[in-house]
Amino acid sequence: MSINWIKITERAREGIKIINALPYETFTTVLWYTHRQMSPSGASGAAAPGATSCTVGTSVTTTGRADSSTEENPTSSSEPEYTLEELERLVGVPRPDFLLLIKTFSYILRRISTFIIKPSLLQRELREKLQLEDEAKIDAILRLWVRETTPIMNNLASKRYESNVIEDVAWKLNVEVSSHCQQREKTPLAVLQMKTGVGEDINIEMTHPELVELYNQFENIQGELDAMLAMKAPDAAAQ
């Protein structure tokens, strides 16, 4: 079953073609570079779109296909490191293609980090929807995703969260006003308010597109549950 977790535009498709053309070792180097730039412990300071001052000079280590332990620890001092300019020379494509490559990697990693998805389904989506051609590249993205999500899932499974059952849900609408020199724009925000069994308040602010995305995820979950119940119904009737 395909899920609506990512939109593949023509530009994204062009970026994926560049990814497919990369040698595996170069692919993993760019993958880890992009991941480190997106992580809080990556480059110091957040750069605005199009800015390069915060990323120039930032280094990344390479990973090898043969040594999977290297991918688990991409900061090993035994691996060569690259600045942004050196990485561009390593990739060896024109500047517009290189920038598109980085943007495509960033887009893919950002999307998979915001969805709850089975590893087997993510693997199939990378192969069929994104049309990544190299299974080793698909596995590299999958290993990175598992590496980043495992601590989160372990925390959710810890005893601290066993009593954090949602007991009350409410919502309200807010309007966020942003001031500019020549215009004032009002952005409506939905606020989802939840209270757990241990008295913890959880408030989530969402724009309309974010609310629609959350709704679609719940629709997918409901579809999975309905399918499972439909499969169990004949067995229950037989008994």
Side-chain angles (χ1 to χ4, degrees), residues 2-13 16 103-104 107-108 110-112 115 125 129-130 213:
S2 179
I3 60 175
N4 188 28
W5 66 280
I6 190 169
K7 180 179 180 180
I8 304 299
T9 63
E10 287 300 320
R11 289 289 289 167
R13 187 64 65 196
I16 292 171
K103 289 180 180 179
T104 305
Y107 178 52
I108 294 172
R110 187 169 64 251
R111 296 307 299 166
I112 65 176
F115 272 77
E125 290 282 299
K129 180 175 288 187
L130 272 65
E213 185 174 293

Side-chain angles (χ1 to χ4, degrees), residues 59-74:
S59 59
V60 63
T61 57
T62 60
T63 57
R65 182 193 293 255
D67 186 2
S68 60
S69 63
T70 311
E71 293 190 2
E72 295 299 324
N73 182 21

Side-chain angles (χ1 to χ4, degrees), residues 1-6 115-130 215-228 231:
M1 182 185 73
S2 179
I3 60 175
N4 188 28
W5 66 280
I6 190 169
F115 272 77
I116 301 174
I117 184 173
K118 293 180 180 179
S120 58
L121 179 56
L122 176 59
Q123 185 179 43
R124 186 165 69 247
E125 290 282 299
L126 292 172
R127 184 187 303 117
E128 298 176 2
K129 180 175 288 187
L130 272 65
Y215 174 80
N216 289 335
Q217 287 201 60
F218 281 133
E219 284 280 286
N220 291 330
I221 294 172
Q222 182 65 52
E224 292 278 357
L225 291 175
D226 289 344
M228 292 177 62
M231 292 175 61

